[in-house]
Amino acid sequence: MFYELISSMAVLVRSKLIRCALVITILSIIIATGQSLELLGMLRPLPSVLGVLSLGGMALLWRDISSKVKGENRTLSSLLSQYFAVKVVGWLGKRQRGKLEADTQNIRQVQEETLLKRLRKTADTRYGKQYDFSSIKDCEAFRTRHPVTTYEHYRELVARVAAGEEKVLIAEKPLILAMTSGTSGASAMLLSTKDTNTEFFLQGVAVCLDAMRRAFPATDSLQRTTKLFYSPTFRQSEAGIPIGPNSSTPASSRHMLNLYTTPAPAFQVPSERDTLYLHLLFALKDPSVGTLESNFASTVFYAFSALQERWQELVEDIKLGRVSPALALEPGVRASLEGQMKPDPERATQLLTHFQQGFVGIARRLWPQLNLVLAVDSGSNQIYGEMLRERYCQGIRFYSPFYAATEGLIGVNLWPEEERRRYLLCPRSMFCEFLPEASLDQETPEKHTLLMEEVQEGHSYELVVTNASGLFRYRMGDIVKVIGFHNQCPVVEFQYRRGQMLSVRGEKVSEVMFLGALKRAISQWPGAQLVDYCCAESAIMGESCGGSDPHYQVFVELKGVRNLTEEQRYKLDQCVQEDSAVYKSFRFKGSIGPMRVQMVAEGAFKELRKQMMAFSNTSANTFKMHRVLRRKEYADFLLGKTI
């Protein structure tokens, strides 16, 4: 088996250098897993091969490492581990990309194989027996037998899993009970399995890293990444199953932490504010940072906002070689972190000069070799990506790699260099069906589902998925628009969440439509720059909205202006009328009252974010701002912040 592993890798990977790296990596893994004596004994007939590896191979290896851009103050072991990781994932990415390309040429068969694989694995569960999954042989039989579902269909079943009952929805015990972000309603608790994580890595991470390196060759370096993520708080179910977010966390990435600028002890700090300070501190220490990474562009934006507030404190810490005494740190954590600090007045002087020049384009000045911001900046994160590009990260390329949710991987962005965010659906991740947008409010929309090969370019659909974690024909609530095809596979653009639609009279103004109108209106407000926004329908606000005709309450946080005239506020209403003929007709009839635009104080949305996260137990890693508020408490909070 060991010989087969080495030889198969050697055939697949042409470069001698990479072959050497892979073999050395395999030897390291064998030693680390305690299998060294037996397996290394098998290598005794190969002394010449080992000799070549130890001399010629290492010479080639070091030459390639020396040719790459590297971070400062790197140890040999950290360089080697990063080098091997990049090479192995690079090889894997090319392999997975090839598989994806082949799959997109035979969508119907691949989708059916994906579905039947899911059904076979759950056939012996109580749920699988209820629907007789073992007898289903094709897509049509499945769609005939199983109804289209929503979360209410699973609520009691998930509760049984949480209580410890086995083989309810899935064959194995879930890794975690994953909480959704609650953007369009109450948070739901879903199952997360090993298969879900494996598929996300192979079909998502590996493929997107391959696309990234093809588009941005400079990212194939040995620079460190500043990854902005936090250690979420998990609670336990009755059966001891962790309950929390299903996203990349420091714990799940513990073997990769040496690739990041933030030292591992920082992730033991419970406060998000203090952890963010440490992210910024150790990123500023390293002028050779190559990538800024986070799940969402909003997290990167909040980080730069914090940097703008606390830069003087950070510069002082770097100058003195300390960690700010204002941070509430355990003594052991503080000692570990300060052990990695040393006085650096030269870097502090550089930083001071950069900050005194202002914050427009600050990222490039702080890190001259910064190649990329790697974060999702589509959907509700679109405005944060735009603000980063316009202000803090001018001239830096952005890559929005995935379209994913708690339910699993949905699509990958194979076109990193394009500004328009489009995602190729992953045909082996989930079995997908599509509800035409026009049928969403019908009594029996399930009669109208289409398959991947049946959707039409230019049309919008709600996604209905069957995944590896016990969801079958599940309405996700995501509306996507098919904007083209890659071979036979649909390429989609996220439009909106069903629960994030404005509709006081049935007019249905989507998030993407409203944001477009808001941006046009703001462009006509001299000096105004959008920081954040959300809306509420007057019905949830009760007496606090004045009791007039149904209307929208719009809360905006702006920079560059202190107030808005009534004429400027009405401009937003006009822009929405221009985009929505139905809204315009209701306004003309007087069925919908004029929009009320409320300008809120600086920092109001940061405070709202904290409230939302606390209420929903959402992690900072997965939080998405609600664009349509469904809780009166949130709307009342913003009313209290009105200027």
Side-chain angles (χ1 to χ4, degrees):
M1 183 67 184
F2 178 65
Y3 291 124
E4 292 171 2
L5 183 59
I6 292 182
S7 61
S8 63
M9 284 189 172
V11 169
L12 287 167
V13 184
R14 296 179 181 178
S15 164
K16 291 180 181 178
L17 174 60
I18 300 175
R19 285 206 298 268
C20 292
L22 288 170
V23 174
I24 293 170
T25 303
I26 293 167
L27 293 176
S28 302
I29 293 170
I30 291 169
I31 293 169
T33 54
Q35 305 298 319
S36 56
L37 293 178
E38 179 185 349
L39 290 174
L40 286 177
M42 297 167 63
L43 296 177
R44 286 173 183 163
L46 304 173
S48 59
V49 173
L50 291 176
V52 170
L53 284 175
S54 61
L55 297 175
M58 289 305 294
L60 287 169
L61 181 69
W62 187 248
R63 186 177 67 183
D64 195 42
I65 290 175
S66 300
S67 69
K68 295 183 180 295
V69 177
K70 293 177 284 295
E72 295 190 354
N73 302 317
R74 299 293 302 276
T75 64
L76 178 60
S77 62
S78 69
L79 284 173
L80 287 172
S81 63
Q82 182 172 355
Y83 180 86
F84 291 151
V86 167
K87 290 299 182 184
V88 171
V89 174
W91 168 78
L92 189 61
K94 290 178 182 177
R95 180 171 172 268
Q96 289 300 124
R97 176 68 179 269
K99 287 185 174 183
L100 177 61
E101 292 290 343
D103 286 343
T104 61
Q105 299 182 45
N106 193 4
I107 282 298
R108 184 174 182 84
Q109 179 181 328
V110 169
Q111 276 279 276
E112 190 158 85
E113 288 173 359
T114 301
L115 172 64
L116 295 179
K117 178 182 177 182
R118 303 284 178 260
L119 299 183
R120 282 195 299 270
K121 190 155 187 179
T122 53
D124 289 333
T125 64
R126 288 169 177 77
Y127 193 85
K129 290 175 181 177
Q130 177 184 344
Y131 287 97
D132 195 15
F133 283 171
S134 61
S135 70
I136 294 176
K137 306 301 180 186
D138 56 41
C139 297
E140 292 310 314
F142 173 65
R143 295 165 76 199
T144 300
R145 184 173 305 172
H146 196 288
V148 170
T149 62
T150 63
Y151 184 67
E152 287 306 313
H153 181 82
Y154 301 95
R155 186 182 299 277
E156 185 268 335
L157 297 169
V158 172
R160 287 161 58 185
V161 175
E165 188 175 340
E166 297 181 352
K167 292 193 173 182
V168 178
L169 281 166
I170 57 176
E172 71 272 32
K173 183 178 179 180
L175 296 177
I176 65 169
L177 298 170
M179 300 301 298
T180 64
S181 61
T183 309
S184 54
S187 292
M189 187 161 64
L190 304 177
L191 310 182
S192 180
T193 64
K194 182 180 178 181
D195 283 351
T196 308
N197 292 353
T198 301
E199 286 166 2
F200 191 91
F201 178 76
L202 292 177
Q203 300 182 47
V205 174
V207 170
C208 287
L209 286 177
D210 178 70
M212 181 181 78
R213 292 198 167 89
R214 293 187 192 199
F216 312 119
T219 59
D220 185 15
S221 70
L222 295 177
Q223 296 166 268
R224 276 201 169 106
T225 292
T226 292
K227 182 159 185 177
L228 300 166
F229 61 164
Y230 305 89
S231 295
T233 300
F234 284 89
R235 53 195 173 94
Q236 301 288 316
S237 75
E238 305 95 298
I241 304 171
I243 301 174
N246 183 27
S247 66
S248 174
T249 65
S252 65
S253 307
R254 60 189 178 277
H255 300 302
M256 304 287 286
L257 293 182
N258 66 324
L259 307 183
Y260 305 138
T261 53
T262 307
F267 298 111
Q268 300 175 37
V269 178
S271 162
E272 179 195 340
R273 176 179 168 82
D274 288 349
T275 304
L276 176 54
Y277 185 92
L278 295 169
H279 278 312
L280 295 171
L281 178 64
F282 285 94
L284 291 173
K285 280 178 78 277
D286 186 352
S288 61
V289 170
T291 302
L292 298 179
E293 179 183 351
S294 191
N295 288 347
F296 299 119
S298 57
T299 310
V300 182
F301 177 77
Y302 295 138
F304 275 102
S305 297
L307 178 62
Q308 190 163 359
E309 292 174 5
R310 306 187 71 178
W311 66 267
Q312 291 170 309
E313 188 179 354
L314 288 158
V315 169
E316 187 69 9
D317 280 357
I318 289 172
K319 178 181 177 181
L320 300 177
R322 69 174 190 188
V323 174
S324 172
L327 272 58
L329 306 179
E330 293 289 336
V333 171
R334 180 175 290 279
S336 296
L337 293 171
E338 291 194 331
Q340 301 189 47
M341 297 289 295
K342 63 179 181 179
D344 194 348
E346 182 180 352
R347 177 61 175 163
T349 300
Q350 293 174 357
L351 293 171
L352 181 62
T353 301
H354 296 322
F355 288 130
Q356 288 175 339
Q357 292 172 7
F359 278 80
V360 175
I362 188 67
R364 176 67 78 194
R365 297 199 303 277
L366 296 175
W367 303 291
Q369 299 178 86
L370 183 63
N371 302 306
L372 192 67
V373 175
L374 183 62
V376 172
D377 62 358
S378 54
S380 60
N381 277 272
Q382 179 183 339
I383 64 168
Y384 303 113
E386 291 173 352
M387 288 188 291
L388 285 167
R389 283 187 284 270
E390 291 169 4
R391 184 166 174 78
Y392 301 116
C393 298
Q394 281 188 359
I396 308 296
R397 305 300 296 268
F398 279 65
Y399 178 30
S400 182
F402 312 118
Y403 172 24
T406 307
E407 292 84 352
L409 177 68
I410 302 167
V412 290
N413 179 0
L414 299 184
W415 306 275
E417 63 273 39
E418 295 185 10
E419 289 188 13
R420 188 177 187 182
R421 302 313 188 205
R422 54 191 180 116
Y423 302 93
L424 175 70
L425 295 180
C426 297
R428 288 199 186 273
S429 178
M430 295 190 273
F431 174 69
C432 294
E433 298 173 73
F434 303 82
L435 279 172
E437 188 178 31
S439 72
L440 295 183
D441 294 323
Q442 296 182 10
E443 290 186 8
T444 54
E446 61 268 19
K447 293 181 179 179
H448 303 278
T449 61
L450 303 174
L451 301 178
M452 272 197 188
E453 69 272 16
E454 296 173 333
V455 297
Q456 297 180 32
E457 184 174 347
H459 290 234
S460 295
Y461 305 88
E462 180 182 353
L463 284 172
V464 178
V465 302
T466 297
N467 71 1
S469 303
L471 296 176
F472 304 92
R473 303 197 77 197
Y474 178 71
R475 293 182 68 171
M476 285 188 60
D478 280 14
I479 310 301
V480 298
K481 183 177 182 179
V482 177
I483 61 169
F485 292 85
H486 183 73
N487 297 323
Q488 298 175 9
C489 192
V491 177
V492 303
E493 193 173 62
F494 176 83
Q495 297 295 292
Y496 60 92
R497 293 277 296 163
R498 283 195 72 198
Q500 292 285 281
M501 178 92 74
L502 285 164
S503 186
V504 295
R505 292 286 193 190
E507 68 282 6
K508 297 179 183 176
V509 174
S510 70
E511 178 182 330
V512 67
M513 181 186 292
F514 185 86
L515 178 58
L518 178 61
K519 287 161 65 176
R520 288 207 315 282
I522 291 174
S523 70
Q524 300 174 61
W525 299 343
Q529 294 180 328
L530 179 64
V531 175
D532 223 327
Y533 82 97
C534 64
C535 310
E537 296 168 357
S538 56
I540 76 158
M541 303 187 68
E543 295 180 0
S544 59
C545 72
S548 63
D549 291 327
H551 63 275
Y552 304 161
Q553 290 273 353
V554 182
F555 302 96
V556 292
E557 184 177 332
L558 302 171
K559 282 185 176 181
V561 294
R562 293 187 176 182
N563 204 349
L564 296 172
T565 66
E566 287 303 315
E567 183 180 357
Q568 287 174 322
R569 294 170 196 254
Y570 185 63
K571 181 60 68 176
L572 175 57
D573 196 291
Q574 289 179 313
C575 288
V576 174
Q577 290 185 49
E578 290 170 5
D579 290 348
S580 172
V582 179
Y583 179 80
K584 183 176 182 178
S585 70
F586 279 127
R587 287 284 292 114
F588 179 76
K589 296 173 186 175
S591 302
I592 295 179
M595 199 177 295
R596 297 188 178 184
V597 180
Q598 311 283 2
M599 188 171 166
V600 298
E602 182 180 354
F605 277 87
K606 283 187 180 179
E607 293 182 47
L608 177 64
R609 174 177 176 265
K610 292 178 183 177
Q611 286 202 13
M612 288 177 166
M613 288 172 57
F615 176 80
S616 63
N617 291 318
T618 304
S619 161
N621 300 325
T622 59
F623 177 80
K624 289 177 278 191
M625 178 56 68
H626 304 192
R627 296 303 173 201
V628 178
L629 302 179
R630 299 299 182 193
R631 295 188 63 84
K632 185 176 185 297
E633 304 94 297
Y634 298 154
D636 287 344
F637 170 80
L638 288 177
L639 273 178
K641 297 291 182 180
T642 300
I643 298 174

